Amino acid sequence: MSFQPQQIAGNNAEKTKAHNRRVVLGYLQTRAAGRAEIAKAAGLSTQTVSNLMAELETEGLVLRTGRRAAARGQPPVVYAFNPAGAAALGFEVRPDMLTMVLTDLGGTALASEHHRLAQTDPDFVLAQMARLAQKAIARSPIARILGAGLVIPGPFGLEGLSTDDATALPGWDPATLPARAELLLGLPVHIDKDATAAALAEGMSGAAQGLPTYAFLYFGSGLGLGIVAQGHPLRGAFGNAGEVGHVIIHPNGRACGCGNAGCLEQYVSRLSVQRHLVAKGHLAPDTSGTDATLLRLLDTQNPDLIEWLDTAAEALSRAIGMLENLFDPQSTVLGGALPDALIDALIARLALPTGSVARRSDRTAPRVQRGTSGRFTAALGAAALVIHSTVTPRLDAHRLESPPCP
Ligand SMILES: [Zn+2]
């Protein structure tokens, strides 16, 4: 997200030092600058900026890159953001998979690992996370780890939308998990929904880079939605915005674990294609080898897979038309835990509604496109939550027990 001084000004009197640190780091993330320039852009006093720069330099988060030529007097020291100054861990927990990444502050992955999960009991998974973290930290080229992001599928708080274990993580309480994870990891932990974090990752370095407003449809086990509007993720009052997988697309359709029938993710999700291929005898009931099977069947244009693709594309076309009219995104991006080739085949089959606010002649981004941040997108987004909480003033990772950020 680019820094806009007129929108994100620091404030000596009211805001905390932590906020001012983020303002300064956010500014330096996009350009190298001297103290006077930073002070002017951020609306801070030169003395405040000088104090902050001394502190950030000691911590290794900024570097001196030289001196700028000045017409008279002492040439000002130029500072730059140091992506190698610290690292962040990102974890994605899906019902069948734990994914970990370690990134530098620029979001570049230094290490990554998938770990297949036989059970989703929080104590068991948290212990696996601690083990992966320990290993990654021991091998990290960057000694200082700022924190960890943890992303899980929604919904958070299961009162109105109970779901089965296949797509959700029952027993994972986002209000208490960060504290439990912090104890085990010895690091601050931020939590968010997988789709929201994946959307942020796609905006930082993927297909949505440079787009302030976009929709990101995330294939975890089910189907999630991350909406970024004017640079800010839309989370809803309780962190549950984007449960698009449980929007009813076929009244009286297939039964869903949430209690409804005809939900979108019964037709468009990793789980739905797995169930279809198990029923047709292409995949073992334990769904091992899903990706290889999908690619092989796609390669040979297997009629059973084509049948799933056609049904999925019809449901997805309706859903995307609805999202366009609701949120007016510049683009809808599809990504997550499906092979790129399958997402491409799905996009190729879409028949998007002609009546949509997205049918514009001045369009600069494709109406629908595949994301480019790959299979690690939600875990990268989890690490991005930590980076954002350090660097970006208005995109703080939130904790669900705190009021949602503005
Ligand atoms: Zn449902």
Side-chain angles (χ1 to χ4, degrees):
M1 238 43 67
S2 64
F3 177 83
Q4 292 169 303
Q6 69 278 16
Q7 287 179 8
I8 309 171
N11 184 316
N12 291 327
E14 297 160 23
K15 302 288 183 184
T16 61
K17 192 167 96 180
H19 176 81
N20 290 339
R21 276 171 59 105
R22 293 197 290 266
V23 169
V24 168
L25 282 172
Y27 189 74
L28 289 175
Q29 212 178 10
T30 56
R31 82 216 78 180
R35 283 177 291 206
E37 181 190 334
I38 299 166
K40 193 174 168 204
L44 294 167
S45 73
T46 314
Q47 188 55 51
T48 301
V49 171
S50 293
N51 295 344
L52 285 171
M53 294 316 290
E55 190 179 296
L56 292 169
E57 203 183 350
T58 307
E59 292 176 32
L61 296 178
V62 300
L63 294 172
R64 289 178 189 229
T65 57
R67 285 183 182 272
R68 191 158 281 168
R72 53 199 158 86
Q74 175 88 321
V77 174
V78 178
Y79 294 91
F81 180 69
N82 179 19
L89 282 164
F91 291 97
E92 179 195 13
V93 183
R94 289 202 330 246
D96 61 343
M97 190 74 79
L98 169 65
T99 301
M100 184 219 68
V101 296
L102 178 75
T103 74
D104 69 12
L105 291 187
T108 302
L110 306 169
S112 59
E113 199 164 332
H114 284 302
H115 180 79
R116 207 171 151 87
L117 289 175
Q119 53 165 304
T120 59
D121 173 68
D123 287 330
F124 173 79
V125 179
L126 287 171
Q128 300 301 312
M129 280 171 52
R131 189 178 57 78
L132 292 181
Q134 221 169 21
K135 197 165 91 178
I137 291 169
R139 295 177 185 172
S140 171
I142 297 173
R144 186 166 173 231
I145 313 292
L146 283 180
L150 167 61
V151 302
I152 60 176
F156 287 170
L158 294 175
E159 280 178 51
L161 197 67
S162 61
T163 52
D164 58 34
D165 300 6
T167 58
L169 289 170
W172 283 67
D173 180 357
T176 58
L177 265 174
R180 291 170 69 185
E182 279 172 8
L183 268 178
L184 271 172
L185 298 175
L187 291 168
V189 174
H190 303 271
I191 192 165
D192 214 325
K193 267 171 60 157
D194 52 7
T196 304
L200 290 177
E202 201 63 39
M204 264 178 90
S205 55
Q209 218 172 354
L211 297 181
T213 300
Y214 57 94
F216 186 85
L217 281 165
Y218 179 67
F219 290 95
S221 292
L223 186 69
L225 169 69
I227 290 279
V228 176
Q230 300 299 327
H232 304 293
L234 189 75
R235 292 186 168 104
F238 305 99
N240 277 326
E243 280 300 323
V244 75
H246 298 287
V247 164
I248 295 169
I249 216 81
H250 289 299
N252 308 315
R254 296 174 193 163
C256 181
C258 74
N260 294 332
C263 289
L264 179 63
E265 75 179 26
Q266 295 302 319
Y267 305 87
V268 188
S269 64
R270 183 175 174 87
L271 190 71
S272 83
V273 71
Q274 283 175 332
R275 283 179 176 164
H276 181 75
L277 296 183
V278 169
K280 299 284 183 186
H282 294 292
L283 198 59
D286 70 357
T287 68
S288 55
T290 296
D291 287 0
T293 306
L294 283 171
L295 289 172
R296 179 171 52 77
L297 297 179
L298 185 64
D299 210 33
T300 54
Q301 293 287 294
N302 178 278
D304 292 329
L305 181 64
I306 300 300
E307 183 192 351
W308 178 83
L309 276 170
D310 286 340
T311 311
E314 189 204 352
L316 189 58
S317 299
R318 279 188 205 173
I320 290 174
M322 183 186 68
L323 294 180
E324 289 173 343
N325 284 337
L326 282 175
F327 297 109
D328 194 17
Q330 286 163 289
S331 188
T332 299
V333 184
L334 270 59
L338 280 180
D340 285 353
L342 195 76
I343 296 178
D344 289 341
L346 197 51
I347 291 174
R349 278 178 162 71
L350 293 176
L352 296 173
T354 49
S356 165
V357 298
R359 282 190 69 211
R360 303 177 63 95
S361 54
D362 61 351
R363 162 169 290 294
T364 53
R367 209 168 145 185
V368 180
Q369 57 182 317
R370 174 169 54 76
T372 55
S373 48
R375 304 298 290 267
F376 287 96
T377 173
L380 288 168
L385 295 174
V386 180
I387 300 168
H388 280 306
S389 75
T390 309
V391 174
T392 313
R394 292 183 61 196
L395 211 61
D396 299 358
H398 75 156
R399 290 156 182 265
L400 290 176
E401 65 267 32
S402 329
C405 55

